[in-house]
Amino acid sequence: MPEPSTVKLERALLSLAEEVAYPDTPALVPVVTARLAAERRDGIRPPLPGLALWPRRRLVLAVAIALLALLGIAAAARLTIGALEIRVVPSLAPSPTLTPLPEAIGRVVTLEQAREQVRFPLLLPPDLSDPDVVRIVRSPFGDRSVLLAWTDPSLPPVEGTPWTLVLLELAGNEEYLFKLVAGAEEVREVQVGGRLGYWLDAPHELVLDTPTDLQTFAVSGNVLVWDAGEGVTLRMETALPLQEAIALAETLG
Amino acid sequence: MEGRPLQDPELIELAKDGDHRAYGELIERYREIAFRTAYVITRSAADAEDATQDAFVKAYYALDRFRTRELFRPWLLRIVSNEAKNRLRSSRRREALAVRAAAAAAPGNAGPSPVAAAAARETREALLAALGTLKEDDRMVIGYRYLLGLSEAETAAVLGVRPGTVKSRLSRALDRLRRRLPADLAAADLEAADA
């Protein structure tokens, strides 16, 4: 018996679409707008997108944390930037036994393979040679991101590691990389090339959500994360101080 | 022109400026396709409703990252499908996609004979069952393209891949679906399903 042709199969699928018994679509406008209003009132989220909120957001976060501390609630408040979320967990004490990031994340590829497999142009420091390690990381949402790590001696090494620079270039706008910090004071809002960024200079944990599991890593270096535009978030781990890290970030191309 | 419905880019700009009614209009415009997308993934009306609600909330906060040269619908549906997949993962559902087809004959039409209608229904059920055995990536690309009626470009945007990739994924998915159909399901039977 011959196999049904593709055309006939496609028509059968389209016909099927006409007959799918979907449940009634719920009324969503009242519940979504009520929820947005409640979140604004409770200071969980910024009041409105698109306004000049960024300085206010950290203030709201700090106030929320202070209130939670007064109430004795070890709850988390959050900052998001593209695919990355910074979560404040007051009870957090980063474990010293966790694996550093470049050694266990994703799968090893060449730089050329990485360029072919991601849908955005890789940003590289112009004054360094090719990275010593390149890894492709899959998100749970199908995006491919890239980790690049250098041992170039022109930069100081990140404490306890052989790496002098680690770049994680993340595609997508749904959060799948989480930074857990113990206090809001460990997160500082900055600007990188006119775009929003955050600077963290205390040890913290990094949690990566992959298609199969959650992986947790220890981070001992300074970290700069910023919105690179076009749906790409960059994370730089370095031993450089803030201003030099921003200067390096702004040269990436 | 006064009285004409606002286009999506106009509503988005108003919503960014805090016009909640504008965002409500966007929700109303896309709630059905959003809910159906979530339902196709989660197979649960309750989970689909929660996922759709979460997606609209997330989309609101992401409006400042929405690029106006994009189309709103596939951008939104990508958020919806991510929320639905999250919900599916967290509830540990592993059910196959087996959407029940409602047998229907348009009133007043000269419908098929009872025998032909039963054969068509049986063929549709076989098609649904075969869909349910596909891996998630194959189900999703077929679901978006044929069951939800998204264009190739929209399917690519929702999946976060290039349009050429959708073409090749669809081709392979249809090939795998075809092989999972019962051996006795001939082309003639698929035409009956199309009736």
Side-chain angles (χ1 to χ4, degrees):
Chain A
M1 202 65 92
E3 286 187 337
S5 73
T6 300
V7 169
K8 290 189 172 71
L9 184 54
E10 287 179 311
R11 282 214 313 260
L13 286 167
L14 289 169
S15 173
L16 193 63
E18 309 266 318
E19 310 221 350
V20 169
Y22 290 107
D24 290 339
T25 303
L28 287 164
V29 174
V31 63
V32 171
T33 51
R35 196 168 136 186
L36 290 173
E39 289 188 358
R40 284 196 301 277
R41 187 184 59 240
D42 297 342
I44 295 171
R45 300 265 205 167
L48 292 165
L51 301 181
L53 301 170
W54 305 119
R56 291 171 57 191
R57 182 182 256 187
R58 191 153 177 256
L59 177 62
V60 168
L61 176 64
V63 169
I65 295 291
L67 285 174
L68 290 170
L70 280 174
L71 292 169
I73 300 169
R78 309 169 188 189
L79 297 170
T80 59
I81 184 164
L84 187 146
E85 179 177 300
I86 301 171
R87 193 173 289 189
V88 179
V89 184
S91 56
L92 181 74
S95 167
T97 63
L98 295 174
T99 308
L101 186 62
E103 295 162 23
I105 189 174
R107 60 184 173 83
V108 174
V109 296
T110 65
L111 187 59
E112 207 44 51
Q113 286 171 330
R115 284 195 171 106
E116 288 168 4
Q117 292 181 31
V118 297
R119 54 187 180 92
F120 57 91
L122 294 185
L123 297 177
L124 299 172
D127 299 328
L128 299 186
S129 55
D130 285 352
D132 299 285
V133 168
V134 182
R135 287 179 177 262
I136 287 284
V137 182
R138 289 287 300 271
S139 85
F141 314 115
D143 299 298
R144 285 200 183 93
S145 300
V146 181
L147 177 135
L148 309 143
W150 286 260
T151 58
D152 193 297
S154 66
L155 294 171
V158 173
E159 184 183 336
T161 81
W163 314 107
T164 58
L165 179 66
V166 179
L167 277 179
L168 193 49
E169 305 193 12
L170 304 160
N173 290 322
E174 299 306 305
E175 299 91 23
Y176 57 96
L177 189 67
F178 302 89
K179 287 195 167 293
L180 307 183
V181 300
E185 67 280 1
E186 297 176 14
V187 184
R188 179 174 168 180
E189 186 182 301
V190 297
Q191 292 278 312
V192 179
R195 292 182 176 275
L196 173 69
Y198 294 108
W199 172 255
L200 299 88
D201 60 6
H204 57 275
E205 289 186 6
L206 185 134
V207 180
L208 177 69
D209 192 4
T210 76
T212 52
D213 58 6
L214 287 176
Q215 296 178 302
T216 305
F217 303 92
V219 180
S220 55
N222 300 330
V223 173
L224 179 66
V225 296
W226 71 102
D227 173 12
E230 302 297 323
V232 177
T233 311
L234 256 64
R235 175 196 177 274
M236 175 197 290
E237 188 173 349
T238 177
L240 294 172
L242 173 59
Q243 293 308 322
E244 291 178 48
I246 290 178
L248 176 59
E250 291 180 344
T251 68
L252 299 184
Chain B
M1 187 185 292
E2 202 171 68
R4 71 161 173 85
L6 294 179
Q7 302 291 309
D8 287 355
E10 295 167 299
L11 290 172
I12 291 165
E13 286 307 307
L14 288 170
K16 282 182 182 180
D17 286 337
D19 186 333
H20 307 144
R21 277 185 299 182
Y23 194 65
E25 180 60 38
L26 281 170
I27 296 173
E28 193 56 33
R29 195 171 282 185
Y30 292 106
R31 68 184 178 100
E32 185 174 85
I33 186 69
F35 175 74
R36 289 185 173 190
T37 300
Y39 182 72
V40 164
I41 295 170
T42 62
R43 296 298 305 115
S44 154
D47 284 351
E49 182 172 349
D50 289 344
T52 311
Q53 197 190 113
D54 288 348
F56 274 116
V57 171
K58 271 203 169 182
Y60 178 76
Y61 292 116
L63 281 179
D64 55 343
R65 297 197 297 266
F66 174 74
R67 297 182 295 242
T68 49
R69 66 175 182 273
E70 282 187 79
L71 291 174
F72 183 72
R73 185 166 95 151
W75 180 82
L76 171 69
L77 293 184
R78 187 150 189 221
I79 298 173
V80 170
S81 64
N82 288 338
E83 287 300 311
K85 284 182 203 171
N86 283 343
R87 211 156 272 280
L88 191 64
R89 269 209 321 268
S90 65
S91 68
R92 308 210 184 277
R93 286 178 191 275
R94 293 295 179 263
E95 299 163 36
L97 182 69
V99 180
R100 284 197 302 126
N109 289 349
S113 69
V115 171
R121 189 165 51 245
E122 196 177 313
T123 302
R124 288 190 200 104
E125 295 290 348
L127 191 49
L128 286 167
L131 271 170
T133 65
L134 294 177
K135 61 177 183 167
E136 186 179 300
D137 284 353
D138 287 347
R139 288 206 312 272
M140 288 300 104
V141 71
I142 290 176
Y144 290 138
R145 187 75 183 90
Y146 297 110
L147 299 189
L148 291 165
L150 301 189
S151 68
E152 209 167 82
E154 285 180 315
T155 303
V158 174
L159 291 173
V161 301
R162 297 184 181 92
T165 304
V166 167
K167 246 196 210 342
S168 54
R169 279 195 193 177
L170 257 180
S171 173
R172 288 194 295 270
L174 287 174
D175 200 45
R176 286 189 274 266
L177 174 63
R178 193 167 43 233
R179 290 203 208 102
R180 280 168 164 77
L181 290 171
D184 58 351
L185 191 66
D189 288 331
L190 275 182
E191 284 194 12
D194 191 25

